[in-house]
Amino acid sequence: MITTLEAPLWIELLAAGLGGLQGALFAASERHRRIDVLGVVVIGLSVSLGGSLLRDILLNQPPVVIWSNWYLLVAGASAVLGMLVQHLLARADWPLTALDAVVMGLFGAIGASKALALGAGEAGALVVGVVGAIGGGMLRDVILSLPFSFLQVGTLYAVAAGAGVGVLILLVGLGTPVAVAGPVCVIVTATLRLVAVRFEWRFPEQGPLRLRRRVGRGGEHA
């Protein structure tokens, strides 16, 4: 029987706090929108808890972030804190990116393992895992009427989540315990994300297929 990856509460709250900080930093980058304090809190909550909320909605489960007070309190307080010290956090870009990569892998592993435990197929578990990993950014973009960031040219954000979740699903299918497959998922996701950021790996921008035409003798195109 497949079980759900269980992370200690303090780790999940740490992840919620990081999401709140990231939401505050994003709000600071959107100064032209004149976002007020309540707006910062809402953005922080969406970034922090959006993935868990969308994951549970997809799985038709009671949203854990609603039934437990700590998630909302920690995420909201972290968003306010991030607003107050945003000038300091802006200098800690790489540490925050590293923590975000680990958190993304953790939420992806929890989402995919929860889907498998509830009987979802491998493809469905992959979708749920990726949504759990990047859903906060998706919900943030919806609230602010922005194009989904993961659909734009970037450093393999969703790809890193999908790779980690895919490895977890493969390992579980081969009989590996979730307690082992989960940490592997986190490592794969975080490593791929950080390497992509470091070396600026990204998919090329979409465009039509262009066939090169050969030039023959006399300047005629072949």
Side-chain angles (χ1 to χ4, degrees), residues 76-216:
S78 298
V80 174
L81 177 63
M83 178 185 64
L84 297 175
V85 298
Q86 59 186 250
H87 61 290
L88 297 176
L89 294 177
R91 303 173 186 174
D93 182 61
W94 185 249
L96 286 176
T97 299
L99 287 173
D100 174 58
V102 173
V103 169
M104 186 169 65
L106 175 63
F107 282 146
I110 292 174
S113 62
K114 189 172 185 177
L116 292 172
L118 291 172
E122 287 79 4
L126 179 64
V127 172
V128 172
V130 173
V131 168
I134 69 172
M138 295 169 57
L139 188 57
R140 175 204 65 202
D141 293 340
V142 169
I143 291 174
L144 293 174
S145 299
L146 295 172
F148 285 128
S149 57
F150 78 94
L151 296 179
Q152 310 297 310
V153 175
T155 48
L156 307 186
Y157 191 66
V159 173
V165 170
V167 169
L168 180 145
I169 294 172
L170 177 62
L171 291 176
V172 170
L174 294 175
T176 305
V178 171
V180 176
V184 173
C185 169
V186 175
I187 293 171
V188 171
T189 300
T191 301
L192 181 56
R193 170 65 176 159
L194 293 176
V195 171
V197 171
R198 173 64 179 82
F199 295 102
E200 297 184 350
W201 290 352
R202 50 176 53 92
F203 282 139
E205 189 172 352
Q206 62 86 24
L209 178 65
R210 300 182 184 277
L211 299 177
R212 298 182 62 183
R213 303 177 66 183
R214 293 180 301 169
V215 179

